[in-house]
Amino acid sequence: MNTDQTRLERDFLGERAVPADALWGVHTSRALENFPISGTSIARHRELVAALGSVKLAAARANAELGLLDERRLTAIESACGEAIAGLLDEHFVVDVVQGGAGTSTNMNANEVIANRALQILGKEPGDHAEIHPNDHVNASQSTNDVYPTAVKIALLHGLDGLAAAVRTLSEAFAAKGEEFRSVPKVGRTQLQDAVPMTVGQEFSAWAATLAEEQARILDSRALLSEINLGATAIGTGITADPRYAAVVLRHLREITGMPLQTAGDLVEATADTGVFVQLSGVLKRTAVKVSKICNDLRLLSSGPQAGLGELRLPPRQAGSSIMPGKVNPVIPEVVNQVAFWVVGNDVTITMAAEAGQLQLNAFEPIMCHGLLQSMDWMGRAFDTLARLCVSGIEVNEAHLEQVSAHSVGVVTALIPHLGYAEASAIAKAALSGEGDVRSLVLRTGALDEARLDELLDPERLAGVKVRAAD
């Protein structure tokens, strides 16, 4: 952007020089000075900019329908909003994602960009606000306090679909491995101690099932996010808006977005309440924590390869050490763990921001917006990476697993109905003392014959893969 040439813009605080070719104006200029916080502009959240364009487009059409905006201005604003939705104006959405003012700087950045782009479409120069004004025309019948949360919810609804798809893909990747390894025996563990037999396939299928649950919980969040307060203006009373405006703008916004949006029943309550963001953040945290736990399991089960559990072989993605030749680390699960830690931190931030709201408005929606959109973006990328670069290429150390399973004392649990707990305990103690394996020790007691014992100790039967006959 050329900053050598400038134009003057004015607000009630005075005049400001802004770059002549910038579509943003005086309010955005002040925000750039006031909020040099994260170095990340709102354009980083593409869904948010598109949502702002959608809200402004719906508002312009509603205002025109109600006789508040003439056809010439409407056409120019519609074109500018279309460009914002399509991503053609992203370089002009420059305010920091972390800002004071409850999102006013974001709303005004959008108002100024759309107004100045509309002026260009009319053959006018940016800043000629007698023709099209950011507040009087682009922001007509609106307030930051209904525009911003509405745009945030639309952006989150877009993000939900992508995240749900990433969770589904990851779940399907685990399910495919569950089928591939369905008959590979292993020993299950509780509290890191040997428990009872299972199969590797059951372990992977369980991971697939728990992620399928999370996909459903994510999609459940759509209903709460679909309730908007557009038409509330400042605090929910609808001041400065035509009484018909809320219904008309909702109709246009539904047509533009294709979303089943609904106007909240109590706009004062809806303007002050940020519970939906806390709810969604909790869902994201729950999903992230579950995936992180699975990554912990993958790292533990693949530990070694010689001195660890060594049950799984993760795809080698890169050299693991600058000093130890041949070392390969579980880098993909590790990066997903770190994303989960970040999501949990964002959840704390969103919770505190929601709690800090006062009276008829919460001033901290910008950090909630950034936290939620960032969490969803990072989670989607992390889950896709985990599915593609790790899960799909996992192999099992079958020889090792079969050997461990064959000598596992845990199989004695299946014999309790036939031997009794005391006798089964004595056999387990003898096996752990090195007096023989469970099979030979049971045969030595004479309590079961060889054929019946082999039937009871069949690996697939022990794991519940093979339907058990009545004992």
Side-chain angles (χ1 to χ4, degrees):
M1 184 171 293
N2 183 8
T3 58
D4 295 335
Q5 296 182 339
T6 61
R7 68 175 188 269
L8 283 180
E9 291 214 5
R10 300 168 183 80
D11 62 8
F12 74 93
L13 293 177
E15 289 186 338
R16 277 237 167 185
V18 301
D21 56 355
L23 294 183
W24 45 265
V26 60
H27 192 108
T28 301
S29 174
R30 296 190 191 281
L32 288 172
E33 179 181 292
N34 292 334
F35 310 125
I37 308 301
S38 72
T40 300
S41 72
I42 58 173
R44 174 64 183 80
H45 297 307
R46 173 90 276 280
E47 305 99 324
L48 179 61
V49 174
L52 287 164
S54 296
V55 172
K56 296 299 175 181
L57 177 57
R61 290 177 177 173
N63 284 321
E65 184 175 328
L66 296 171
L68 303 174
L69 193 66
D70 62 65
E71 188 67 27
R72 181 168 174 270
R73 289 188 174 100
L74 170 65
T75 300
I77 292 173
E78 281 184 320
S79 295
C81 289
E83 292 181 8
I85 293 169
L88 302 179
L89 306 178
D90 283 1
E91 66 177 295
H92 299 281
F93 285 82
V94 294
V95 297
D96 201 280
V97 292
V98 182
Q99 56 190 255
T104 297
S105 294
T106 295
N107 184 39
M108 283 305 302
N109 192 168
N111 289 333
E112 290 174 341
V113 168
I114 291 168
N116 284 321
R117 179 60 189 134
L119 285 169
Q120 289 179 333
I121 291 168
L122 291 177
K124 305 289 185 179
E125 291 295 322
D128 185 6
H129 294 319
E131 187 71 22
I132 294 183
H133 196 280
N135 298 82
D136 292 337
H137 300 115
V138 180
N139 198 61
S141 307
Q142 305 153 66
S143 165
T144 292
N145 303 345
D146 61 349
V147 166
Y148 186 76
T150 297
V152 170
K153 289 179 179 180
I154 291 171
L156 291 171
L157 284 166
H158 276 297
L160 275 185
D161 290 338
L163 178 59
V167 173
R168 182 178 65 251
T169 298
L170 183 57
S171 176
E172 290 171 350
F174 279 116
K177 287 296 175 179
E179 183 61 29
E180 180 181 345
F181 305 142
R182 68 183 305 275
S183 299
V184 180
K186 67 166 289 177
V187 177
R189 298 179 180 86
T190 58
Q191 295 162 274
L192 294 182
Q193 306 301 303
D194 297 349
V196 297
M198 65 183 301
T199 69
V200 177
Q202 288 174 315
E203 195 163 39
F204 276 79
S205 295
W207 292 332
T210 200
L211 291 176
E213 290 179 1
E214 295 314 292
Q215 181 191 356
R217 297 293 77 75
I218 290 168
L219 294 176
D220 286 346
S221 302
R222 290 182 297 191
L224 286 175
L225 286 172
S226 295
E227 183 181 276
I228 62 173
N229 72 329
L230 198 59
T233 65
I235 64 169
T237 61
I239 192 170
T240 74
D242 186 292
R244 300 166 292 173
Y245 172 79
V248 176
V249 76
L250 174 67
R251 171 164 47 82
H252 285 291
L253 190 56
R254 292 181 67 158
E255 291 172 356
I256 292 163
T257 63
M259 295 176 177
L261 305 171
Q262 297 290 340
T263 301
D266 187 321
L267 291 178
V268 174
E269 181 276 336
T271 303
D273 179 37
T274 55
V276 61
F277 302 137
V278 178
Q279 170 78 13
L280 176 58
S281 182
V283 171
L284 299 181
K285 178 179 73 172
R286 169 179 153 147
T287 303
V289 167
K290 279 194 176 186
V291 175
S292 188
K293 184 270 180 190
I294 293 171
C295 286
N296 295 342
D297 290 346
L298 292 175
R299 290 189 294 111
L300 184 59
L301 292 169
S302 64
S303 60
Q306 295 175 306
L309 295 183
E311 294 187 6
L312 301 180
R313 299 189 186 98
L314 306 187
R317 302 307 310 179
Q318 62 188 59
S321 173
S322 62
I323 189 173
M324 293 173 279
K327 190 172 189 291
V328 178
N329 296 327
V331 293
I332 303 302
E334 287 173 350
V335 77
V336 178
N337 282 133
Q338 291 175 80
V339 169
F341 306 156
W342 194 266
V343 172
V344 173
N346 278 344
D347 179 64
V348 174
T349 298
I350 291 160
T351 301
M352 295 306 299
E355 186 277 335
Q358 295 172 308
L359 304 177
Q360 280 68 59
L361 187 67
N362 188 304
F364 309 113
E365 288 184 6
I367 200 67
M368 293 188 234
C369 170
H370 177 57
L372 288 168
L373 289 173
Q374 182 190 60
S375 289
M376 293 168 69
D377 182 37
W378 284 22
M379 288 170 69
R381 293 169 186 264
F383 297 169
D384 177 68
T385 298
L386 182 61
R388 285 188 304 107
L389 301 185
C390 182
V391 178
S392 63
I394 291 176
E395 299 175 349
V396 294
N397 188 346
E398 291 195 42
H400 171 63
L401 285 169
E402 288 175 0
Q403 181 183 21
V404 171
S405 298
H407 293 85
S408 169
V409 175
V411 299
V412 78
T413 302
L415 303 179
I416 290 175
H418 309 279
L419 303 178
Y421 186 84
E423 183 65 22
S425 297
I427 289 172
K429 182 178 180 180
L432 289 170
S433 299
E435 298 177 27
D437 60 31
V438 169
R439 186 178 185 279
S440 63
L441 289 168
V442 173
L443 289 174
R444 197 178 302 169
T445 69
L448 295 167
D449 62 35
E450 189 169 0
R452 180 59 170 151
L453 183 59
D454 286 344
E455 179 187 353
L456 293 174
L457 296 184
D458 176 80
E460 291 192 351
R461 183 188 180 283
L462 290 170
V465 175
K466 182 182 292 183
V467 178
R468 298 185 182 96
D471 291 333

